[in-house]
Amino acid sequence: MTESGIGEKEIDLRIKILKEDAKKRGYNLNTDELLVRELVSGILINKKRYGFESCPCRLTIGKKEDNIDIICPCDYREQDISEYGCCYCALYVSEDVEAKKKTAEPIPDRRFERQDSENHKVPDNCAGIKNLRLKYPIFRCRVCGYLCARENPPQICPICKAVSEKFEKYL
Amino acid sequence: MTQWTHVAGKGNRNLKLYALSTCGHCKKTKEFLDESKVSYDYIYVDLLSQDELEKVYSEMKKYNPRGSFPTILIEEIDVIVGARIDEIKRLIDLND
């Protein structure tokens, strides 16, 4: 056991699963194994402490509903990897960073930018789209952008494996 | 009581590290400060009680409005956001 009460085996197992999933789904884990260990341990501590796997490098304040966006993988991973070469905590990196063609530097947190603008929603001037009579609502995965038309969002995103809470009603 | 931990070392400048106990980058930053043997104070904001957390976090956000970690405050003037070891090195050396 580590000082945090999370077993080394638990961390090993989670890293193994994350690595396999990342490869399958077109993501790359950071090659800095020590850092990955710290981050995964932090995620598991947060799970124990808060009941959900929030980002180890962000402060979790309040209820789960207020922190859905920072449950790992966070809503900002895609954009951060394409813009900076890694996600905020650097658990996930771009192919170039993985291949060591680039290095991952500390990056700014775009979490609060988004809270200001909420520009991921369909804008109000698209009334025509908003008033469509759809047989099924369309849900969007906030982590990877996957869209699906069905009564309820899936339990797990078939593309990136995000949990159902990560889905928002898009149309 | 706010739980700052003092680490004794070289120099007597006011160096504060706001960190999260779960964050690998905060750990790297703290290890760097430990290796440089400078005198500093640190606090794990995520381990505070709710009242203390609100107080310390709003104080930290005065210096780093985004509220991200690690945040280093030198002499209540210079602010370094993120594990920017080179910049920490530069500012520490500069003040020596």
Side-chain angles (χ1 to χ4, degrees):
Chain A
M1 293 285 250
T2 58
E3 55 187 321
S4 57
I6 305 290
E8 294 294 340
K9 277 192 184 153
E10 198 183 343
I11 300 173
D12 288 339
L13 183 65
R14 177 55 74 91
I15 292 174
K16 190 171 168 265
I17 294 169
L18 283 175
K19 264 189 191 160
E20 287 169 3
D21 280 344
K23 276 286 160 241
K24 258 189 250 164
R25 290 162 213 278
Y27 296 98
N28 308 286
L29 281 199
N30 200 318
T31 50
D32 181 342
E33 292 198 0
L34 196 64
L35 179 69
V36 167
R37 231 185 146 70
E38 295 292 345
L39 295 171
V40 170
S41 160
I43 290 170
L44 296 172
I45 291 170
N46 283 349
K47 165 91 176 168
K48 216 169 163 184
R49 193 191 286 166
Y50 307 112
F52 51 94
E53 299 187 347
S54 51
C55 177
C57 296
R58 290 176 166 116
L59 184 60
T60 302
I61 302 180
K63 295 183 206 134
K64 185 177 179 182
E65 304 89 275
D66 303 326
N67 295 285
I68 299 289
D69 60 322
I70 56 164
I71 292 179
C72 184
C74 69
D75 293 12
Y76 317 104
R77 178 177 66 168
E78 298 293 329
Q79 236 179 320
D80 283 337
I81 291 177
S82 54
E83 192 169 330
Y84 300 109
C86 64
C87 68
Y88 181 66
C89 74
L91 179 61
Y92 294 97
V93 297
S94 68
E95 266 180 44
D96 279 356
V97 172
E98 196 208 26
K100 299 200 162 54
K101 287 182 203 156
K102 269 191 197 167
T103 51
E105 299 288 333
I107 69 168
D109 189 356
R110 68 173 78 238
R111 184 180 192 199
F112 300 105
E113 278 171 27
R114 167 152 151 182
Q115 284 183 353
D116 294 341
S117 61
E118 285 290 317
N119 57 6
H120 59 295
K121 292 265 167 71
V122 177
D124 289 336
N125 60 7
C126 296
I129 295 177
K130 281 198 155 179
N131 294 334
L132 281 178
R133 284 169 180 266
L134 297 171
K135 190 174 176 193
Y136 297 103
I138 294 176
F139 292 96
R140 174 182 181 273
C141 172
R142 286 159 48 172
V143 177
C144 72
Y146 165 73
L147 297 175
C148 57
R150 46 188 277 173
E151 295 290 351
N152 293 298
Q155 284 298 308
I156 286 176
C157 174
I159 303 300
C160 73
K161 253 190 146 179
V163 292
S164 70
E165 286 112 320
K166 289 280 192 177
F167 279 82
E168 62 187 0
K169 196 172 164 209
Y170 196 57
L171 276 178
Chain B
M1 205 192 91
T2 308
Q3 300 156 7
W4 284 93
T5 305
H6 182 69
V7 179
K10 293 186 289 187
N12 54 1
R13 72 181 70 88
N14 186 356
L15 213 152
K16 284 174 162 177
L17 168 67
Y18 294 89
L20 295 179
S21 68
T22 51
C23 169
H25 307 276
C26 295
K27 190 171 178 182
K28 255 186 196 173
T29 306
K30 190 176 174 302
E31 278 170 2
F32 170 75
L33 291 175
D34 288 338
E35 281 161 20
S36 350
K37 301 200 176 354
V38 287
S39 154
Y40 72 100
D41 293 88
Y42 71 91
I43 194 162
Y44 285 130
V45 180
D46 59 320
L47 299 182
L48 299 174
S49 69
Q50 201 181 330
D51 289 354
E52 288 170 339
L53 186 149
E54 278 168 21
K55 190 175 147 246
V56 174
Y57 194 44
S58 64
E59 175 194 289
M60 183 190 114
K61 283 201 281 192
K62 276 191 242 161
Y63 301 101
N64 171 14
R66 287 213 181 199
S68 56
F69 296 89
T71 292
I72 293 186
L73 182 61
I74 304 172
E75 296 293 357
E76 316 254 326
I77 299 170
D78 293 310
V79 182
I80 302 170
V81 175
R84 299 176 193 280
I85 303 297
D86 286 343
E87 205 174 328
I88 301 169
K89 217 183 260 179
R90 190 175 64 81
L91 278 173
I92 290 177
D93 286 343
L94 205 71
N95 293 339
D96 264 335

